[in-house]
Amino acid sequence: MNSGSAVVVRDKIAARLLEAAVITTAQIEQAKEMQKAEGGSLGLALMRLGAVDEKIYTEFLGKVYNLPVVDLDQTQIASECIDLIPADVATKFQVLPLERRGRVLTVAMANPSNIFAIDDIKFITSLDVQPVVCSEVAIKRAIDKYYAPTDSLASIMEGIEDDIEVVEEQEVDEAGGGEEQNAPVVKLVNTLLAEAVKLGASDIHIEPYEKHMRVRYRVDGILQEVMEPPIKLRAAITSRLKIMAELDIAERRIPQDGRIKLKVGSKKIDLRVSTLPCIFGEKVVMRILDKGNLTLDLANFGMEEVGLKHVYANVAKPYGMVLVTGPTGSGKTTTLYSCLSRVNQIDVNIMTAEDPVEYNLDGINQVQVRDEVGLTFAAALKAFLRQDPNIVMVGEIRDLETGSIAVKAALTGHLVFSTLHTNDAPATINRMIDMGIEPFLVASSTNLIMAQRLVRRICKNCKYPETVPPEALADLGLPPQTEVFHGKGCEKCNGSGYAGRQGLYEVMPITPALRELILDRASTSEIRKQAQKEGMLTLRQDGLVKIQKGVTTIEEVLRETTVQD
């Protein structure tokens, strides 16, 4: 609702500018194209194109909203006023606190019609909000000035930068110049990596655009912008990362994949690096693999007791298949690693085929799949069966060949773990049959299917009960007296109200009744109804349990789950 209304307002401003002959229709269309490619508002795109002067645009904003206009470049703001709104909230809504008088806080806004932003600021500050108008460009400059993301990153680096060590770095100095030019780039890249590790980020995105670049971290599954490095460092930053990952810095036309090994203090960190040629340079995405954060105890995952018992019972079986399903980034690999660590004994031969190998597990033979040389999941699985295995894990069943070999392995005395991309546990059955695997093979080989999602946990430091109308709770299927919690946002959670993530699980053991349905080619809906009759919690139902326990919010559960028929 928010984004839709904002677009209408921006169009009104563009219409006013057009009416006053300040801009042309062609410039608006060009700005819309830039907006699609780079994000941000239409006004920001118009200013970046040079179609309209920042001062003129701001004056038009004031006329449209009928609010006072402020020049942030000529305004000094007290630090105690800045402290009222956290940096991530200021960045998210493009706002800046200017002055507090009694119970009223004056806030500069690029989009004063954003009532959600105003409500959030009211809640965070417990003050009444008086908006004034300013351009998005000026607010970005002021946020950089007052919240100083680069300075805060640098201050975090004090005392830690010397503890960052690149392991097995290529001895090359080609990052776009001599030592003097590279020194700040090396420091900046080290700072970005250290800060990402400190925040517990899972990914770092470095994205080049025509006139700027940005760095984003994925924390608890959500991307957040952390800084905009100078555009002139675009090539140097990319080259520095490619050198660290031992990639070809001269090759900018094709995607490349590499790995960086770091020591941050006493922590050993692996980064999977992927480069992708875009129109304004190479985008770099790094997946952070911190073994220190890897939890391999299923009991700590927040799975409900009934589901946990089913998992334990089926992982302990001598043969059959255990399948984990869910979208990318839902924690499937961690769940499989946890299952493997539970059965990792001296008298068991465990082999895994992964793409890529995310963590090295002692006592387990791990193979990196390489499609380009013919080492596919199917080829690896065939080779495993000649290596006297007890337990095999296939990273993903992608096709009939891999699925057929996995099923045969499960039927010939091996315990097989694997993943599929399906929406829920019951849908996995028909997904395998659609691949071409016969129903009787699916029914006889499969022990258990588990679907999962990840939702953010409410920050324990700023958790508070929220009033939700009983009819809204009833619509969700929650008792009217349910106490629902939220996070207010604090320093410990960087103002997000969330800290860490929690799994939602749909655990479906294959019972005799379900085997009969599979043999009869029953629909996904019929399989789900039978599984629920036998006690299976759907992902949505498990999410509702987590809401009642005060672990997560209604918004998180609605974002990650759907109501099944």
Side-chain angles (χ1 to χ4, degrees):
M1 189 183 294
N2 170 24
S3 60
S5 60
V7 170
V8 172
V9 171
R10 284 199 288 266
D11 284 347
K12 280 182 183 175
I13 296 163
R16 290 279 191 98
L17 289 165
L18 193 63
E19 192 180 312
V22 175
I23 57 173
T24 65
T25 309
Q27 286 173 324
I28 291 177
E29 291 305 315
Q30 200 178 347
K32 283 181 177 178
E33 289 302 312
M34 179 181 277
Q35 188 185 11
K36 282 179 191 173
E38 300 184 15
S41 69
L42 188 64
L44 183 62
L46 285 165
M47 283 182 276
R48 279 181 176 157
L49 282 170
V52 62
D53 179 74
E54 185 184 328
K55 188 178 178 183
I56 293 171
Y57 184 81
T58 309
E59 287 171 2
F60 271 86
L61 277 176
K63 288 174 186 174
V64 169
Y65 291 119
N66 196 24
L67 287 171
V69 173
V70 64
D71 184 352
L72 288 180
D73 293 334
Q74 301 298 320
T75 306
Q76 285 299 316
I77 308 170
S79 58
E80 56 267 26
C81 186
I82 289 291
D83 291 341
L84 290 171
I85 297 180
D88 68 308
V89 175
T91 304
K92 178 182 176 183
F93 293 124
Q94 289 299 292
V95 299
L96 198 78
L98 298 180
E99 183 186 26
R100 177 182 174 178
R101 288 191 179 179
R103 301 280 312 149
V104 178
L105 179 66
T106 303
V107 179
M109 301 182 72
N111 179 13
S113 69
N114 189 339
I115 57 170
F116 297 98
I118 292 171
D119 286 347
D120 270 16
I121 295 165
K122 279 182 182 176
F123 181 79
I124 290 165
T125 61
S126 301
L127 299 170
D128 293 326
V129 175
Q130 175 60 54
V132 294
V133 173
C134 187
S135 76
E136 198 172 338
V137 175
I139 287 180
K140 277 181 181 289
R141 282 199 304 268
I143 287 173
D144 287 344
K145 175 182 173 182
Y146 289 102
Y147 290 102
T150 50
D151 290 346
S152 64
L153 282 167
S155 67
I156 287 161
M157 280 297 296
E158 286 177 17
I160 199 173
E161 188 189 350
D162 293 336
D163 290 338
I164 294 184
E165 179 187 339
V166 182
V167 183
E168 299 171 9
E169 181 181 348
Q170 212 173 14
E171 292 298 325
V172 183
D173 184 18
E174 299 181 48
E179 284 185 22
E180 284 184 16
Q181 186 177 342
N182 285 333
V185 174
V186 170
K187 184 173 182 180
L188 176 61
V189 168
N190 284 354
T191 303
L192 288 172
L193 299 180
E195 170 71 341
V197 172
K198 176 183 177 290
L199 289 176
S202 61
D203 302 86
I204 305 170
H205 291 238
I206 298 173
E207 302 163 309
Y209 297 105
E210 186 177 13
K211 295 183 180 177
H212 74 290
M213 69 184 299
R214 69 178 177 184
V215 177
R216 295 189 291 174
Y217 294 158
R218 189 179 292 280
V219 180
D220 293 335
I222 304 297
L223 276 171
Q224 50 187 250
E225 186 172 332
V226 292
M227 73 177 295
E228 284 195 9
I231 189 67
K232 64 183 179 182
L233 296 180
R234 178 170 59 189
I237 289 170
T238 305
S239 294
R240 172 63 187 160
L241 288 167
K242 288 170 81 172
I243 286 170
M244 293 170 74
E246 300 187 2
L247 301 176
D248 182 356
I249 65 168
E251 180 54 80
R252 300 183 182 92
R253 300 162 301 171
I254 58 172
Q256 295 186 66
D257 294 303
R259 209 169 191 130
I260 298 173
K261 290 189 176 182
L262 291 179
K263 278 183 73 177
V264 182
S266 59
K267 271 189 173 186
K268 288 186 178 179
I269 308 292
D270 267 12
L271 291 99
R272 282 208 325 261
V273 182
S274 169
T275 70
L276 180 72
C278 297
I279 56 172
F280 297 116
E282 290 174 282
K283 172 172 177 173
V284 182
V285 176
M286 291 173 279
R287 166 65 58 89
I288 299 171
L289 304 173
D290 181 359
K291 199 170 182 178
N293 290 339
L294 184 64
T295 303
L296 293 179
D297 187 354
L298 282 165
N300 294 332
F301 285 12
M303 200 180 294
E304 296 305 310
E305 195 173 334
V306 176
L308 194 59
K309 282 180 180 175
H310 286 312
V311 173
Y312 282 165
N314 284 281
V315 164
K317 288 182 178 179
Y319 56 86
M321 267 201 309
V322 173
L323 300 172
V324 182
T325 82
T328 303
S330 60
K332 301 188 297 294
T333 303
T334 303
T335 299
L336 285 178
Y337 279 167
S338 304
C339 292
L340 290 175
S341 70
R342 188 170 175 82
V343 293
N344 187 10
Q345 307 291 338
I346 195 71
D347 59 342
V348 174
N349 179 20
I350 303 176
M351 311 198 73
T352 75
E354 304 173 56
D355 184 20
V357 175
E358 292 199 10
Y359 296 98
N360 303 324
L361 303 175
D362 191 47
I364 293 175
N365 306 286
Q366 295 170 276
V367 173
Q368 169 74 54
V369 167
R370 294 188 184 279
D371 288 344
E372 67 273 15
V373 295
L375 184 54
T376 60
F377 280 122
L381 195 45
K382 279 180 186 174
F384 286 175
L385 298 179
R386 296 191 290 271
Q387 292 273 319
D388 185 31
N390 301 99
I391 298 167
V392 295
M393 183 187 104
V394 191
E396 185 184 342
I397 294 176
R398 295 177 179 170
D399 50 42
L400 174 59
E401 186 183 10
T402 310
S404 298
I405 301 167
V407 164
K408 285 171 188 171
L411 291 172
T412 53
H414 304 89
L415 184 60
V416 178
F417 294 96
S418 192
T419 72
L420 279 94
H421 285 277
T422 56
N423 290 327
D424 57 17
T428 307
I429 298 294
N430 284 319
R431 172 79 182 98
M432 293 174 72
I433 292 170
D434 290 344
M435 275 184 185
I437 303 170
E438 290 295 334
F440 76 91
L441 291 174
V442 175
S444 53
S445 63
T446 312
N447 292 345
L448 176 133
I449 302 172
M450 175 167 44
Q452 65 181 73
R453 297 289 187 278
L454 290 177
V455 292
R456 291 182 290 172
R457 284 176 171 271
I458 300 169
C459 174
K460 291 178 182 177
N461 190 54
C462 59
K463 186 175 178 179
Y464 74 97
E466 186 183 46
T467 305
V468 178
E471 56 271 20
L473 294 172
D475 286 345
L476 285 167
L478 288 167
Q481 69 276 13
T482 301
E483 192 171 28
V484 176
F485 291 89
H486 258 263
K488 186 174 182 180
C490 63
E491 278 188 16
K492 288 191 177 179
C493 62
N494 288 314
S496 69
Y498 297 97
R501 286 192 287 177
Q502 158 78 52
L504 302 182
Y505 300 94
E506 184 173 282
V507 181
M508 187 177 84
I510 306 301
T511 60
L514 286 175
R515 289 188 206 281
E516 288 296 325
L517 286 175
I518 296 168
L519 289 169
D520 291 340
R521 293 181 180 265
S523 68
T524 297
S525 177
E526 290 172 308
I527 292 170
R528 184 183 298 110
K529 283 176 184 171
Q530 179 61 33
Q532 286 184 261
K533 188 178 173 183
E534 294 175 358
M536 180 190 82
L537 289 177
T538 65
L539 288 165
R540 171 60 64 89
Q541 288 168 340
D542 193 34
L544 297 180
V545 171
K546 301 300 187 287
I547 292 169
Q548 289 175 287
K549 289 183 174 181
V551 173
T552 191
T553 61
I554 290 173
E555 291 84 353
E556 282 294 292
V557 172
L558 293 179
R559 182 169 65 86
E560 288 293 339
T561 66
T562 57
V563 177
Q564 302 291 353
D565 54 354

